[in-house]
Amino acid sequence: MGVRVTGLNSGMDTDSIVEALVSAQRTKVDNLKKKQTKLSWTQDAWKSLNTKIYSFYSKTLNNAWLSTTFNLKKNVVSDTSIATVSGGSVNGTQSLEVNKLAQNAYLTGGKMTRADGAALTDATKLSELTGYAGGSSTITINGKDIKLTDDMTLSSLTTKIKSAGVNVSLDANNGRMFVSAKKDGEAGNFTISGDTTALAALGLETIDSTTASHDATTSTGASFIRGQDAEIKLNGAIFTSDTNNFSVNGMSITALKETNGTSVSVSTNTDVDAIYDKVKDFFKEYNELIKEMEKLYNADSAKGYEPLTDDEKEALSDDEVEKWETKIKDALLRKDTTLSDITTTLKTAMMQSVTIGGKDYNLSSFGINTLGYFEASDNEKGVYHIDGDKDDESTSGETDKLKAAIASDSDRFISFFNKLAKGVYDDLGKKMKAIKNVRSAYTVYNDKEMQRQYDDYADQISTWEDKLKDLEDKYYKQFSAMETALAKINSQSSSLAGLLGTGTSS
């Protein structure tokens, strides 16, 4: 577009006239931009809600239909200084002995000194050690030969020892090396052999961990602790582990102290309170999701409100713009049929009956209900309350049927809740299946369809903006031609007036 000439000769406000002539087309562009903006906000609203729905589906619901989630046990150990116990699959009292605690193989080297009495450092050479015979020699750790030379430093030696599959560190201040196993328990035991003179100078000594005593002090002043596995006896059966942790029949046992032939009792019972709290946590998350979905669906109408153009925003304060846009955003999913369908799916699935042992149960069987239509607050008619829940002012005064049911027959309740959750999980999962060109997997709204619509708006806006520019250029060219013509007329008039003026004077 060239330079636009304004009404210098005509005295007309060309810009205002052109703006008026293209106003209808500009309105079309503005309306398309408003629709695109509103669609973008709707996409964001759905993305946010979909994230919460998918989290409930993939985590809360997925865990709820697993039997292990609610199979919670409480254990009492008669002497907690001997062991700690958690979990378990069956109730009852068991006998436990801790025969041995796990120990990693560990060698505290004897003290090394320099022949000249100087302080030991990482850079000290082997030839400078007291008792070192000089020349080359070999020591073997875990079957790996390490060749020693006079000019080898202690730092270099520790690096080579590490390559033999053990941990080693040098404490130069105390003049000792510390060697430990990389593997836990008996499997980590290591051997040291080789030139006895060199080993003595290094504070080490030939060690065969298979025959060494559990805690032995050698002639060099080194101390060796042999690695061993932990061993417990549970109800007369022996179990071993390379650590002090055991997993037996769903029960986690941590051995703390050897019992020396005596036993402690471990009593396992259903943890009623823990199961009850798990159920409360489930419904807390479910209720929050339902309330948000109901709030979005029942939002106040924003009829008459549309996204603002840049010019419209300039006429308002920032606070007014924010309130205007919030009004629109809050109502984006109002009366949305997809949202209604998802909400109904969840509510219906939660009301289903489950057959256990030939008898039908539902949530109401365990004192879990929604409030009456006139009792429930707005957007909370699908919210569940647990009778006797001390934290729920609506039902805290009711008889606690849930806790009583868990205490009397936890297997029945757990089986019911697992099957109920699986049914809800399956029904919601069907609503989240991918549909080609319509929605992605694990998505409850038509994200692909919305994106195509958004892109279509972008194409339309681009097309109309090009048309608008061409139209403006057309009008400006017409006004430019008019201005040029007027300029010529004015020039001719001036020349004629000049000639006439000259003739009169003569």
Side-chain angles (χ1 to χ4, degrees):
M1 181 179 68
V3 177
R4 290 175 171 176
V5 179
T6 56
L8 295 174
N9 294 287
S10 65
M12 301 170 65
D13 186 350
T14 306
D15 289 339
S16 296
I17 295 172
V18 172
E19 183 63 28
L21 289 170
V22 301
S23 62
Q25 284 74 15
R26 188 175 297 282
T27 298
K28 289 181 179 179
V29 174
D30 288 342
N31 287 339
L32 284 170
K33 287 182 176 180
K34 289 180 178 183
K35 289 179 179 179
Q36 187 188 44
T37 297
K38 195 170 183 179
L39 176 59
S40 175
W41 290 348
T42 304
Q43 287 175 301
D44 290 341
W46 266 120
K47 285 177 184 177
S48 176
L49 181 59
N50 194 84
T51 296
K52 296 173 184 177
I53 293 173
Y54 178 69
S55 176
F56 178 72
Y57 169 81
S58 62
K59 297 177 183 178
T60 308
L61 272 177
N62 187 48
N63 289 333
W65 64 265
L66 300 174
S67 60
T68 53
T69 300
F70 294 96
N71 187 22
L72 304 174
K73 303 295 182 180
K74 180 168 58 177
N75 297 281
V76 177
V77 182
S78 60
D79 186 345
T80 55
S81 69
I82 300 299
T84 60
V85 181
S86 63
S89 58
V90 293
N91 292 348
T93 300
Q94 304 179 69
S95 173
L96 172 67
E97 296 179 33
V98 178
N99 295 336
K100 293 188 296 184
L101 293 177
Q103 175 63 59
N104 284 8
Y106 198 96
L107 173 69
T108 301
K111 189 171 180 61
M112 296 179 286
T113 60
R114 285 178 56 127
D116 60 6
L120 208 67
T121 68
D122 289 357
T124 298
K125 297 179 180 179
L126 301 190
S127 60
E128 297 172 328
L129 295 177
T130 302
Y132 191 80
S136 62
S137 58
T138 300
I139 63 173
T140 304
I141 299 179
N142 274 348
K144 181 179 177 63
D145 290 339
I146 299 173
K147 189 174 182 180
L148 309 180
T149 60
D150 289 350
D151 60 352
M152 178 182 285
T153 64
L154 291 177
S155 177
S156 297
L157 175 61
T158 57
T159 299
K160 289 185 175 294
I161 291 176
K162 286 178 183 177
S163 68
V166 292
N167 299 312
V168 63
S169 63
L170 172 67
D171 181 352
N173 185 53
N174 287 297
R176 294 175 186 267
M177 282 194 289
F178 297 85
V179 184
S180 63
K182 286 189 174 181
K183 293 183 179 180
D184 294 329
E186 190 172 324
N189 276 320
F190 53 85
T191 59
I192 299 177
S193 61
D195 186 285
T196 56
T197 303
L199 289 175
L202 294 169
L204 307 176
E205 191 162 328
T206 298
I207 292 173
D208 181 353
S209 56
T210 59
T211 59
S213 60
H214 177 58
D215 189 346
T217 301
T218 70
S219 59
T220 64
S223 175
F224 176 69
I225 298 176
R226 179 171 52 83
Q228 69 176 19
D229 290 342
E231 181 183 287
I232 62 171
K233 181 188 287 187
L234 184 65
N235 301 325
I238 298 294
F239 298 90
T240 60
S241 171
D242 56 10
T243 71
N244 289 318
N245 299 315
F246 296 80
S247 180
V248 182
N249 194 28
M251 187 164 56
S252 296
I253 303 171
T254 299
L256 302 175
K257 187 171 67 175
E258 296 177 1
T259 56
N260 299 317
T262 61
S263 64
V264 295
S265 64
V266 179
S267 299
T268 303
N269 294 289
T270 299
D271 195 335
V272 175
D273 290 337
I275 297 174
Y276 183 89
D277 289 342
K278 281 272 188 183
V279 176
K280 278 186 63 173
D281 289 342
F282 175 91
F283 280 107
K284 180 180 179 181
E285 186 171 344
Y286 172 83
N287 289 343
E288 289 300 321
L289 181 60
I290 287 294
K291 285 191 288 186
E292 179 166 358
M293 294 168 72
E294 294 280 22
K295 180 181 177 181
L296 293 170
Y297 184 80
N298 296 319
D300 293 336
S301 173
K303 186 176 181 180
Y305 287 77
E306 293 296 333
L308 301 169
T309 64
D310 291 339
D311 290 340
E312 289 170 336
K313 288 180 180 180
E314 288 180 3
L316 300 173
S317 67
D318 290 344
D319 186 54
E320 289 172 327
V321 170
E322 183 179 0
K323 288 181 179 178
W324 183 280
E325 293 186 345
T326 298
K327 177 72 175 178
I328 300 172
K329 292 177 179 179
D330 286 347
L332 289 171
L333 301 186
R334 169 182 161 81
K335 306 307 178 187
D336 187 286
T337 54
T338 299
L339 178 57
S340 175
D341 184 38
I342 296 299
T343 306
T344 300
T345 295
L346 282 171
K347 289 181 178 179
T348 302
M350 290 293 285
M351 290 189 294
Q352 64 187 308
S353 294
V354 175
T355 303
I356 306 294
K359 185 177 179 180
D360 291 341
Y361 297 91
N362 54 33
L363 287 172
S364 182
S365 305
F366 301 96
I368 305 173
N369 303 281
T370 58
L371 297 180
Y373 184 86
F374 296 104
E375 294 178 84
S377 303
D378 292 342
N379 303 321
E380 294 193 13
K381 292 178 174 56
V383 167
Y384 280 94
H385 300 260
I386 300 174
D387 289 348
D389 179 4
K390 60 182 178 59
D391 298 320
D392 191 332
E393 60 181 20
S394 299
T395 56
S396 59
E398 302 294 333
T399 301
D400 196 336
K401 294 172 64 176
L402 174 60
K403 189 167 287 188
I406 297 171
S408 63
D409 191 346
S410 62
D411 290 341
R412 178 189 61 170
F413 173 77
I414 292 172
S415 180
F416 159 77
F417 205 78
N418 290 156
K419 291 182 178 180
L420 176 72
K422 185 62 165 62
V424 180
Y425 179 87
D426 290 343
D427 288 352
L428 182 56
K430 293 174 184 176
K431 297 295 181 180
M432 304 183 80
K433 286 186 177 179
I435 300 178
K436 187 177 181 181
N437 298 325
V438 176
R439 73 179 183 219
S440 306
Y442 302 113
T443 307
V444 297
Y445 70 103
N446 298 347
D447 61 320
K448 291 185 177 181
E449 190 174 61
M450 285 186 180
Q451 188 58 49
R452 281 199 308 276
Q453 187 177 358
Y454 182 90
D455 294 339
D456 184 54
Y457 279 137
D459 292 339
Q460 291 183 60
I461 290 169
S462 178
T463 298
W464 275 103
E465 284 182 333
D466 288 342
K467 289 181 179 180
L468 182 62
K469 175 179 175 296
D470 291 343
L471 189 59
E472 286 178 334
D473 287 346
K474 172 187 172 183
Y475 286 133
Y476 274 112
K477 285 179 181 178
Q478 291 175 347
F479 277 106
S480 177
M482 182 186 72
E483 292 291 338
T484 300
L486 287 174
K488 288 181 179 180
I489 293 172
N490 289 338
S491 176
Q492 291 171 355
S493 297
S494 297
S495 297
L496 181 60
L499 290 171
L500 290 173
T502 303
T504 301
S505 62
S506 63

